[in-house]
Amino acid sequence: MSATIKSVAQYAGVSIKTVSRVINNEGTVKPDTLAKVQQAIDALDYRPNKAARDLAGRDNYVLGYVYDNPNAYYILAMQNGILKECRSNGYELLIHPCDATNPDIIDELVNMVNSARLAGLILSPPLSEMPDVLHAMDEKGIQYVRVLSGDKAPDDKPCVLVDDYQAARQITGHLLDQGHRRIAFIAGEKQHHSTTERQRGFYQALADHGIKADPELVIDGTYSFGTGVQSIQQLLALPEPPTALFACNDEIAAGALFGARMQGVDVPEALAIAGFENSPFSTQTFPPLTTASQPTAQIAQRATSSLIRSLQARKRKAENHTIPADIFVPELIVRESTSR
Amino acid sequence: MSATIKSVAQYAGVSIKTVSRVINNEGTVKPDTLAKVQQAIDALDYRPNKAARDLAGRDNYVLGYVYDNPNAYYILAMQNGILKECRSNGYELLIHPCDATNPDIIDELVNMVNSARLAGLILSPPLSEMPDVLHAMDEKGIQYVRVLSGDKAPDDKPCVLVDDYQAARQITGHLLDQGHRRIAFIAGEKQHHSTTERQRGFYQALADHGIKADPELVIDGTYSFGTGVQSIQQLLALPEPPTALFACNDEIAAGALFGARMQGVDVPEALAIAGFENSPFSTQTFPPLTTASQPTAQIAQRATSSLIRSLQARKRKAENHTIPADIFVPELIVRESTSR
DNA sequence: TTGGCTAATGACAGCGCTGTCATTGAGTGT
DNA sequence: ACACTCAATGACAGCGCTGTCATTAGCCAA
């Protein structure tokens, strides 16, 4: 049988109420008492019983993860990170796939939150970037945390930032360091902020090296293999084709790699290719792709943690309890697709 | 506030325990008492409080989905199907990724079931095919449903079957119908029954046409892009290379397609390629892959439904309540990669 | 020192239900 | 008519936690 609040209290030599205060972060516990309790919790591997909390308290300890994203790897990684944090805080997760282009999406979300009595929502792109959705949530008093592309929080509501701009700058910088001067860029859907941020980083890196981007080398597409194949054909047909390519994600990069090979262009010898995301795709190509890795699960975990802290803060009516936004910069991973 | 068991009892003029008996279908209530209670429930629109039931009872109304499978698309589809069925039955889902090769996997699962007081488990391959795991669950009295590759239930415990054998036979048959006689096969991990079943179907289809399989054309590998690339190189180097390939899944097929193209071999003109699974991979290649589609979400839903029915049956001690196994046969999807 | 205050902690009831066991009452055989 | 079943129902404790309120300890000013 697993540990209960009672056994933790006994172990730590305090009352169950004090343990309750610790697990709810009520903040009115002396540091050394807190340490004792924390230690007891760890020692006994205690996890609050959700049913009991739900029954005794007035809120439900359930969070919702709403997503609309075709990238299964991303979703799963997010989910794992969220789950991990939920578990260690005695929350449960309700998973809700949805269609962001559905005009009734807002009603759908509000209904879901109400009928399942969710404590809060975790939003990832593109939902986290839809002003209408966010506005509706604010209006209904629904708490949420967003995972966002950017380097600065747009407001003081909880969010976790992924600095695509900086990472894209690094990738482009890497290509420039290899001596490339004609570097192409293939963009994904422009609705995703990640796309525009990555593009911004691309331009900035060029500018850093005093290079003017050639508009011919920048192509708009979608986050798909097909975009990569088509775009690279177009690029290679240019009178002066690029010597390097930065694709907005690995899937596009894989498509471009495929397309280049089909045309007899060697990678990386004649064309260096870099992707973004470090998806399983990126190691399954020949040669493997240089890319940028976002620690998605960790991002999700941090986001969930912010949400929970914000929920707890609101519960005890702490004022202005703003949680500083975390920033993650995806890390450059150099593989053979860009080796000299 | 919604009605509680107490208010229903008062309204019906019985004790709360009798109401409890009614809502749990315990069957020891006199018909007219039952009618009275039922009427009270309807009148007050009473819905049992899940948290209270969980806390008081011995099981939670929570199911667990345990998986170890690198295929994110598969997991997500399973998850969605399970979720759908859970919701319509008032159950909740706990998701637990794990590592099937971990020697402590059994302890891990037993611990999880106990500490979360799960009502039952949904097991997909490879976990559903590990005798040790199943045996341990039986021993501990943990209920489960398996998703299995096969066409016959191995025992009378709940399971849902996916007939890979039949589907593989159909795919190979399709290749044969196109006139191919030298057909290669690339296998995935042999621990997965799906691999051996697909291979069995491959051999059977050849036998149906009086063709003896050439051992040179059958290659063992893993369910990966890399396996496809390497294997096709090996196959094309043969003095008498195959004219068609059946790869154990789409990822291998995509790798093989990539590898063939790199060697200047046209698909489907010089080499027909078929995959399996109908994963998003299969439409993102050029040309798109012929494959077999399994309705994973539906399979998951059916599995969950079996589990729930079996749980309820056991609760009211119904004997011999065997639920017949469902069988799904993945459906052949013909695309350009095998067109004549 | 004394009273008055606040921060830290504890005692205890009760959330809505189920499990266990006790009680009732109708039916049975002699 | 008698004890004897057994089906039907009820009384009651308690699941593990939180909310409320009481208590204690620690501190300061007078």
Side-chain angles (χ1 to χ4, degrees):
Chain A
M1 274 311 129
S2 59
T4 69
I5 197 171
K6 211 168 157 184
S7 54
V8 173
Q10 202 158 29
Y11 188 103
V14 299
S15 74
I16 58 169
K17 184 64 222 191
T18 298
V19 178
S20 171
R21 287 190 177 100
V22 171
I23 60 184
N24 287 294
N25 269 315
E26 287 183 24
T28 54
V29 179
K30 265 207 304 203
D32 51 341
T33 312
L34 194 141
K36 262 194 312 190
V37 173
Q38 204 56 260
Q39 196 187 327
I41 289 176
D42 292 343
L44 301 175
D45 188 30
Y46 167 70
R47 307 259 186 68
N49 177 314
K50 182 189 160 300
R53 296 180 100 177
D54 283 349
L55 187 56
R58 74 168 58 107
D59 309 315
N60 256 349
Y61 288 77
V62 182
L63 264 30
Y65 176 40
V66 192
Y67 67 83
D68 168 29
N69 193 312
N71 186 335
Y73 296 106
Y74 180 80
I75 301 300
L76 228 41
M78 280 290 297
Q79 190 175 294
N80 287 341
I82 296 170
L83 240 22
K84 194 169 169 193
E85 192 66 18
C86 278
R87 255 171 226 160
S88 62
N89 285 279
Y91 277 78
E92 234 156 70
L93 217 216
L94 195 140
I95 290 156
H96 188 90
C98 71
D99 175 7
T101 61
N102 174 357
D104 297 331
I105 180 73
I106 290 174
D107 285 345
E108 184 184 330
L109 294 186
V110 171
N111 269 338
M112 186 192 69
V113 172
N114 289 338
S115 69
R117 286 189 189 152
L118 298 185
L121 247 35
I122 294 145
L123 267 20
S124 58
L127 279 160
S128 58
E129 293 165 348
M130 294 171 61
D132 291 359
V133 171
L134 301 180
H135 187 248
M137 297 298 128
D138 286 340
E139 217 165 40
K140 300 279 177 182
I142 295 169
Q143 300 264 302
Y144 57 80
V145 62
R146 295 153 295 169
V147 173
L148 243 36
S149 184
D151 56 2
K152 214 166 133 286
D155 50 46
D156 57 357
K157 296 189 187 67
C159 74
V160 170
L161 298 163
V162 178
D163 196 345
D164 287 299
Y165 165 74
Q166 210 53 254
R169 211 168 142 189
Q170 281 174 25
I171 289 189
T172 314
H174 163 71
L175 260 15
L176 288 160
D177 289 347
Q178 305 277 60
H180 295 287
R181 286 302 173 265
R182 281 190 69 71
I183 305 178
F185 181 84
I186 306 178
E189 282 89 346
K190 281 288 164 66
Q191 303 91 284
H192 287 57
H193 286 193
S194 56
T195 301
T196 53
E197 286 292 300
R198 288 171 198 175
Q199 189 157 0
R200 210 160 61 80
F202 169 73
Y203 283 131
Q204 185 57 52
L206 292 182
D208 290 345
H209 285 245
I211 296 172
K212 198 180 65 173
D214 181 345
E216 271 188 340
L217 297 183
V218 176
I219 298 186
D220 287 342
T222 62
Y223 281 123
S224 69
F225 191 89
T227 280
V229 178
Q230 287 155 26
S231 305
I232 199 66
Q233 284 173 342
Q234 189 178 331
L235 289 165
L236 292 174
L238 251 31
E240 200 184 342
T243 66
L245 164 69
F246 172 23
C248 224
N249 78 347
D250 292 331
E251 214 166 324
I252 299 176
L257 177 54
F258 182 90
R261 290 285 194 167
M262 286 203 8
Q263 307 212 3
V265 172
D266 285 333
V267 175
E269 292 78 6
L271 178 71
I273 297 182
F276 203 107
E277 272 180 14
N278 192 28
S279 76
F281 263 109
S282 63
T283 54
Q284 284 180 354
T285 55
F286 285 98
L289 293 170
T290 288
T291 188
S293 155
Q294 355 171 191
T296 307
Q298 208 182 323
I299 291 170
Q301 201 179 337
R302 208 68 78 76
T304 309
S305 154
S306 292
L307 215 210
I308 292 175
R309 276 181 297 161
S310 148
L311 250 22
Q312 289 172 341
R314 193 173 72 151
K315 188 167 185 177
R316 81 184 93 90
K317 286 152 194 160
E319 333 219 331
N320 299 338
H321 184 97
T322 305
I323 290 152
D326 284 306
I327 302 190
F328 287 85
V329 182
E331 195 188 337
L332 176 66
I333 296 184
V334 178
R335 300 212 187 89
E336 283 96 277
S337 72
T338 62
S339 58
R340 249 292 168 237
Chain B
M1 272 306 146
S2 56
T4 69
I5 198 171
K6 211 167 158 183
S7 54
V8 173
Q10 201 158 31
Y11 188 102
V14 298
S15 74
I16 57 169
K17 183 65 221 192
T18 299
V19 178
S20 170
R21 289 191 176 100
V22 171
I23 59 183
N24 288 293
N25 266 314
E26 290 185 23
T28 54
V29 179
K30 265 207 305 202
D32 52 339
T33 312
L34 193 142
K36 262 195 312 191
V37 173
Q38 203 57 260
Q39 197 185 329
I41 289 176
D42 292 344
L44 301 176
D45 189 29
Y46 167 70
R47 305 243 340 251
N49 177 315
K50 185 182 162 303
R53 295 181 98 175
D54 282 350
L55 186 57
R58 86 163 53 104
D59 302 318
N60 275 188
Y61 288 74
V62 181
L63 264 29
Y65 176 39
V66 191
Y67 66 84
D68 167 29
N69 193 313
N71 187 334
Y73 297 108
Y74 179 80
I75 301 300
L76 230 40
M78 280 291 296
Q79 190 175 295
N80 287 342
I82 296 169
L83 239 23
K84 196 169 169 194
E85 192 66 18
C86 278
R87 257 171 223 160
S88 63
N89 285 280
Y91 277 78
E92 249 163 55
L93 215 217
L94 193 138
I95 289 156
H96 188 90
C98 70
D99 175 7
T101 62
N102 175 356
D104 298 330
I105 180 73
I106 289 176
D107 285 345
E108 184 183 332
L109 294 187
V110 170
N111 269 339
M112 184 192 71
V113 171
N114 288 339
S115 70
R117 295 164 82 198
L118 300 185
L121 247 34
I122 294 146
L123 266 20
S124 59
L127 279 160
S128 59
E129 294 165 347
M130 293 171 60
D132 291 359
V133 171
L134 300 180
H135 187 249
M137 297 298 128
D138 287 340
E139 215 165 41
K140 299 277 177 185
I142 295 169
Q143 301 264 299
Y144 56 81
V145 62
R146 294 153 296 170
V147 173
L148 243 36
S149 183
D151 55 1
K152 213 166 135 286
D155 50 45
D156 58 356
K157 296 189 186 66
C159 74
V160 170
L161 298 162
V162 178
D163 196 346
D164 287 298
Y165 165 73
Q166 210 53 254
R169 211 168 142 187
Q170 282 173 26
I171 290 190
T172 313
H174 163 72
L175 260 15
L176 288 160
D177 289 348
Q178 303 279 57
H180 295 287
R181 287 301 173 266
R182 280 190 70 72
I183 305 178
F185 181 84
I186 307 178
E189 281 89 346
K190 281 288 164 67
Q191 305 90 283
H192 287 57
H193 286 193
S194 57
T195 301
T196 54
E197 287 292 299
R198 287 170 199 176
Q199 189 159 359
R200 209 161 62 80
F202 168 73
Y203 283 130
Q204 185 59 51
L206 292 183
D208 290 346
H209 285 246
I211 297 172
K212 198 180 65 172
D214 181 347
E216 272 188 341
L217 297 183
V218 176
I219 297 186
D220 287 342
T222 63
Y223 282 122
S224 68
F225 192 89
T227 280
V229 177
Q230 287 156 25
S231 305
I232 199 67
Q233 284 173 341
Q234 188 178 331
L235 289 165
L236 292 174
L238 251 30
E240 200 184 345
T243 65
L245 165 70
F246 172 24
C248 224
N249 79 345
D250 292 332
E251 214 166 323
I252 298 176
L257 177 55
F258 182 89
R261 290 284 194 170
M262 286 206 2
Q263 309 213 2
V265 173
D266 284 333
V267 175
E269 293 78 5
L271 178 71
I273 297 183
F276 203 106
E277 274 181 13
N278 193 28
S279 77
F281 262 109
S282 63
T283 54
Q284 282 179 356
T285 55
F286 286 98
L289 293 170
T290 288
T291 188
S293 154
Q294 359 172 183
T296 308
Q298 209 182 321
I299 290 169
Q301 201 178 336
R302 207 70 78 77
T304 310
S305 154
S306 293
L307 214 210
I308 292 175
R309 277 180 297 160
S310 147
L311 250 24
Q312 288 172 342
R314 191 174 73 151
K315 191 160 186 178
R316 78 181 93 89
K317 286 152 194 162
E319 326 223 335
N320 298 335
H321 185 97
T322 306
I323 290 153
D326 284 305
I327 301 189
F328 288 84
V329 181
E331 195 187 337
L332 177 66
I333 297 183
V334 177
R335 299 211 186 89
E336 282 96 276
S337 71
T338 61
S339 58
R340 247 293 166 239

